[in-house]
Amino acid sequence: MIALVDVNNFYVSCQRVFEPKLEGKPVVVLSNNDGCCIARSAEVKAFGVRMGQPWHQIQDFAKQHGIIAYSSNFALYADMSNRVMTILSRYSPHREVYSIDECFLGLDGIPGDLTELGRDIRKTVLQGTGLPVCVGIGPTKTLAKFCNHLAKKRPQFAGVCEWSKLDAESQLRVMQEVEVGEVWGVGRRLSSSLNKEEIYSVADLQRADPETIRSRYSVVLERTVRELQEQPCIELEDTAPDKQQIMCSRSFGRNVFTEQELSEAISTYAARAAEKLRSQKSAAGALAVFICTSPFREKDPQYSKHVVVPLSQPSDDTLLLTRAALWVLKRIYRHGYAYVKAGVMLLDLQPNTAIQGHLFLQSADPLKRACLNDTMDRINQHWGRGMLRLASAGTDHKWKMRQVHLSPCWTTRWEDVPKVR
């Protein structure tokens, strides 16, 4: 058996933990640059505000209905997620962190009533972090995900739904009542294609022939059908696979015109990407840089450029990767454009222990560079990101993201820790 534990309205719930006055009030969390709604409380959903709806379109509506907006605070969310996952590791040695707010737990061999276990998980996570979770339990990952959906949407389950506790008639009924688009991995686009084949509900998909689904769609959807038929096809991944590419990009808080400011942004992004690269003990064999103007400002001159360059030798060195990124920027930058976004992507990733030496490569002592990068990482982890940086990254980032509604980093910054008198 497999359990899926999912935090309810994760970003909004994180804000409510430290501001209890928000409980029961309409709250949204906005994307980078306070652009779109990426998390909505139940009260906001009831108003009809859509996921991804631009904030500027609903500001008057928000004032009218008292909707409270927060800028995304990813440092807070990541820390709260780590706390939840640490608690969940007590319940099973087999744990797959699926996303920042979702975790699969392998329950095979765990004694006792699994529904009671789910209730205990809810109680312990709420007590330890203040975050509400729902638990879905099923014989496959897809059914565990479906049960989690039922646990969230149907009050009779009180936040915990175990598939095996439903009789055959109840299982069929709930599958018939839920649209096929709610199945894990199906989504809106695929569901419209399935509807043309008269597959409208989860029950319709569950009854479909797996081989036919494979021939008409994909092996992935075939696995989904088999999992709905209680045939395990998707294994738990106890260890998250290393990323095949690493990207760091941001939209600017205001238009950027000069090469100097773009250089500061690209240097900052290259350093962050290199830090992520080292954290998974990988090296990059290629690097890409892109810059672009806003396609939504049709009257402005438009320019977008994306260039990939191979590295002479795979590397995780911040200085080398930044130098390569700035070299690319110099060649793609064009004067006279209002740039709104830039980014750095590291490609062709491989383990840093399997890098083949280069006979004619002339560079700094790799051991000294490794020590330098390790020292930078340790200082920035202890004192905060960007405390130690390359000079090319600058100090006065007027282009940085717009975060007008940013809350304190209550758990990750000493000066923001709540004070009790």
Side-chain angles (χ1 to χ4, degrees), residues 186 190 194 205 213 217-226:
V186 173
L190 186 52
L194 290 170
L205 185 61
I213 291 294
Y217 294 94
S218 67
V219 66
V220 175
L221 191 58
E222 178 204 5
R223 289 177 187 150
T224 299
V225 173
R226 292 189 184 278

Side-chain angles (χ1 to χ4, degrees), residues 266 270 286-289 307 309-312 317-331 344 346:
I266 291 297
L287 174 145
V289 174
V307 171
V309 294
L311 302 176
S312 56
D317 181 9
T318 293
L319 277 73
L320 188 151
L321 294 172
T322 301
R323 187 184 304 127
L326 292 176
W327 183 89
V328 175
L329 176 65
K330 197 168 207 50
R331 281 149 183 80
V344 174
L346 303 181

Side-chain angles (χ1 to χ4, degrees), residues 186-301:
V186 173
R188 185 180 304 170
R189 182 178 298 179
L190 186 52
S191 66
S192 63
S193 298
L194 290 170
N195 290 164
K196 294 175 184 177
E197 307 242 11
E198 298 187 350
I199 298 176
Y200 299 101
S201 68
V202 180
D204 294 333
L205 185 61
Q206 189 257 356
R207 286 192 294 261
D209 176 57
E211 296 295 336
T212 303
I213 291 294
R214 177 173 182 164
S215 64
R216 294 182 180 177
Y217 294 94
S218 67
V219 66
V220 175
L221 191 58
E222 178 204 5
R223 289 177 187 150
T224 299
V225 173
R226 292 189 184 278
E227 291 238 325
L228 288 173
Q229 296 171 351
E230 302 191 22
Q231 302 174 38
C233 298
I234 308 172
E235 299 293 330
L236 277 179
E237 296 180 356
D238 293 349
T239 303
D242 289 338
K243 295 178 180 178
Q244 299 303 303
Q245 59 187 31
I246 293 175
M247 180 177 216
C248 186
S249 69
R250 297 287 187 277
S251 296
F252 302 131
R254 62 168 177 76
N255 290 343
V256 169
F257 295 91
T258 68
E259 184 180 356
Q260 173 61 34
E261 287 190 303
L262 279 176
S263 296
E264 291 180 359
I266 291 297
S267 294
T268 301
Y269 301 157
R272 290 181 184 174
E275 189 175 342
K276 293 179 182 178
L277 187 69
R278 290 190 293 273
S279 69
Q280 72 171 37
K281 302 186 186 311
S282 296
L287 174 145
V289 174
F290 77 86
I291 54 177
C292 64
T293 56
S294 174
F296 302 107
R297 297 177 180 173
E298 298 177 357
K299 295 182 180 180
D300 291 353

Side-chain angles (χ1 to χ4, degrees), residues 121-165:
I121 288 174
R122 294 192 77 218
K123 177 182 175 182
T124 305
V125 172
L126 184 63
Q127 185 177 28
T129 66
L131 296 172
V133 302
C134 284
V135 183
I137 302 171
T140 67
K141 291 174 79 172
T142 302
L143 281 172
K145 187 86 171 175
F146 178 64
C147 286
N148 187 279
H149 170 81
L150 296 176
K152 272 188 176 181
K153 301 296 183 181
R154 307 205 172 195
Q156 66 264 35
F157 293 111
V160 180
C161 176
E162 182 182 350
W163 186 246
S164 61
K165 289 289 180 72

Side-chain angles (χ1 to χ4, degrees), residues 28-56:
V28 296
V29 175
L30 306 176
S31 63
N32 291 340
N33 271 320
D34 296 343
C36 304
C37 301
I38 58 172
R40 305 155 297 157
S41 67
E43 296 80 9
V44 172
K45 293 175 184 177
F47 287 143
V49 176
R50 304 186 309 275
M51 175 67 88
Q53 189 161 1
W55 175 240
H56 70 85

